[in-house]
Amino acid sequence: MTQTDEPFDGRRWHDMGGQPAGPVPDDQHDFSIWEKRIDALMVISSTKGYFTVDGLRRVLEDMGPDAFDTMTYYERWMASINQNLIEAGVYSTAELAQKMSEVASRGNTYGDAAGG
Protein backbone atom coordinates (compact mmCIF):
# COMPACT_ATOMS: atom_id res chain seq x y z
CA MET A 1 0.00 0.00 0.00
CA THR A 2 1.31 3.38 -0.96
CA GLN A 3 1.58 5.95 1.81
CA THR A 4 0.96 9.60 1.12
CA ASP A 5 1.15 12.74 3.21
CA GLU A 6 -2.32 13.77 2.10
CA PRO A 7 -5.08 13.49 4.70
CA PHE A 8 -7.42 10.53 4.13
CA ASP A 9 -10.73 11.76 2.72
CA GLY A 10 -12.54 8.44 3.03
CA ARG A 11 -11.82 7.40 -0.56
CA ARG A 12 -9.30 4.94 -1.89
CA TRP A 13 -7.63 5.49 -5.28
CA HIS A 14 -10.11 3.26 -7.14
CA ASP A 15 -13.16 5.13 -5.77
CA MET A 16 -13.73 7.71 -8.50
CA GLY A 17 -17.44 8.26 -7.97
CA GLY A 18 -18.22 11.97 -8.29
CA GLN A 19 -14.65 12.86 -9.24
CA PRO A 20 -13.79 14.58 -12.53
CA ALA A 21 -12.50 11.99 -14.97
CA GLY A 22 -12.96 13.57 -18.37
CA PRO A 23 -15.21 12.35 -21.13
CA VAL A 24 -16.25 8.72 -21.22
CA PRO A 25 -15.24 7.10 -24.51
CA ASP A 26 -18.33 5.87 -26.29
CA ASP A 27 -16.62 4.14 -29.17
CA GLN A 28 -16.89 0.41 -29.30
CA HIS A 29 -13.92 -1.85 -29.51
CA ASP A 30 -13.57 -5.54 -30.02
CA PHE A 31 -11.91 -7.40 -27.20
CA SER A 32 -8.58 -9.09 -27.85
CA ILE A 33 -8.50 -12.86 -27.67
CA TRP A 34 -6.43 -12.72 -24.47
CA GLU A 35 -8.99 -10.38 -22.87
CA LYS A 36 -11.77 -12.84 -23.74
CA ARG A 37 -9.70 -15.65 -22.24
CA ILE A 38 -9.18 -13.70 -19.02
CA ASP A 39 -12.93 -13.15 -18.81
CA ALA A 40 -13.53 -16.88 -19.41
CA LEU A 41 -10.92 -17.77 -16.77
CA MET A 42 -12.73 -15.56 -14.28
CA VAL A 43 -16.06 -17.28 -15.00
CA ILE A 44 -14.56 -20.78 -14.82
CA SER A 45 -12.58 -20.06 -11.65
CA SER A 46 -15.51 -18.53 -9.81
CA THR A 47 -17.87 -21.28 -11.01
CA LYS A 48 -15.48 -23.86 -9.58
CA GLY A 49 -15.54 -21.98 -6.28
CA TYR A 50 -11.92 -20.86 -6.17
CA PHE A 51 -12.99 -17.29 -5.42
CA THR A 52 -15.89 -14.90 -5.73
CA VAL A 53 -16.34 -11.50 -7.31
CA ASP A 54 -15.60 -10.11 -3.85
CA GLY A 55 -12.23 -11.89 -3.94
CA LEU A 56 -11.52 -10.44 -7.36
CA ARG A 57 -12.39 -6.95 -6.11
CA ARG A 58 -10.36 -7.36 -2.90
CA VAL A 59 -7.15 -7.93 -4.85
CA LEU A 60 -7.97 -5.23 -7.42
CA GLU A 61 -8.58 -2.65 -4.72
CA ASP A 62 -5.41 -3.59 -2.85
CA MET A 63 -3.15 -3.20 -5.89
CA GLY A 64 -2.51 0.45 -5.24
CA PRO A 65 -2.76 3.54 -7.41
CA ASP A 66 0.19 2.61 -9.63
CA ALA A 67 -1.67 -0.44 -10.94
CA PHE A 68 -4.63 1.71 -11.91
CA ASP A 69 -2.31 4.13 -13.71
CA THR A 70 -0.14 1.59 -15.52
CA MET A 71 -2.20 -1.55 -16.12
CA THR A 72 -5.17 -2.07 -18.40
CA TYR A 73 -8.48 -3.29 -17.08
CA TYR A 74 -7.82 -6.91 -18.06
CA GLU A 75 -4.19 -6.80 -16.94
CA ARG A 76 -5.49 -5.98 -13.46
CA TRP A 77 -8.04 -8.77 -13.76
CA MET A 78 -5.30 -11.21 -14.78
CA ALA A 79 -3.19 -10.25 -11.76
CA SER A 80 -6.20 -10.56 -9.44
CA ILE A 81 -7.28 -13.93 -10.81
CA ASN A 82 -3.72 -15.20 -10.49
CA GLN A 83 -3.43 -14.00 -6.88
CA ASN A 84 -6.76 -15.59 -5.98
CA LEU A 85 -5.82 -18.92 -7.59
CA ILE A 86 -2.52 -18.98 -5.70
CA GLU A 87 -4.32 -18.18 -2.44
CA ALA A 88 -6.84 -20.96 -3.20
CA GLY A 89 -3.96 -23.42 -3.62
CA VAL A 90 -4.69 -24.16 -7.27
CA TYR A 91 -0.98 -23.73 -8.00
CA SER A 92 2.07 -22.22 -6.36
CA THR A 93 4.23 -19.38 -7.57
CA ALA A 94 6.99 -21.90 -8.28
CA GLU A 95 4.64 -24.01 -10.41
CA LEU A 96 3.48 -20.89 -12.25
CA ALA A 97 7.08 -19.81 -12.90
CA GLN A 98 7.93 -23.28 -14.23
CA LYS A 99 4.92 -23.29 -16.57
CA MET A 100 5.67 -19.77 -17.81
CA SER A 101 9.25 -20.82 -18.53
CA GLU A 102 7.99 -23.86 -20.48
CA VAL A 103 5.63 -21.70 -22.55
CA ALA A 104 8.33 -19.08 -23.21
CA SER A 105 10.71 -21.78 -24.44
CA ARG A 106 8.27 -22.78 -27.20
CA GLY A 107 8.94 -19.64 -29.22
CA ASN A 108 8.39 -15.94 -29.60
CA THR A 109 5.00 -15.90 -31.29
CA TYR A 110 1.61 -16.61 -29.82
CA GLY A 111 1.18 -19.47 -32.28
CA ASP A 112 4.49 -21.03 -31.23
CA ALA A 113 3.63 -20.78 -27.53
CA ALA A 114 0.11 -22.12 -28.01
CA GLY A 115 1.31 -25.12 -29.98
CA GLY A 116 3.13 -26.88 -27.17
Side-chain angles (χ1 to χ4, degrees), residues 9-95:
D9 67 355
R11 293 174 183 258
R12 293 177 74 193
W13 49 88
H14 60 277
D15 185 2
M16 298 177 68
Q19 298 293 316
V24 175
D26 58 358
D27 58 327
Q28 298 292 320
H29 77 278
D30 192 16
F31 294 102
S32 300
I33 188 70
W34 73 271
E35 293 171 323
K36 294 176 183 176
R37 288 180 173 168
I38 293 299
D39 192 79
L41 183 59
M42 168 57 192
V43 171
I44 292 168
S45 298
S46 62
T47 300
K48 288 189 169 280
Y50 293 129
F51 58 90
T52 64
V53 168
D54 293 333
L56 183 77
R57 286 190 58 93
R58 174 187 54 82
V59 175
L60 290 169
E61 293 173 1
D62 286 345
M63 287 181 176
D66 289 344
F68 281 78
D69 291 338
T70 61
M71 299 169 76
T72 68
Y73 181 81
Y74 279 104
E75 287 174 337
R76 293 191 305 267
W77 265 44
M78 183 169 53
S80 179
I81 291 168
N82 184 53
Q83 181 64 36
N84 274 282
L85 291 175
I86 289 170
E87 290 176 4
V90 176
Y91 52 80
S92 68
T93 53
E95 291 168 329

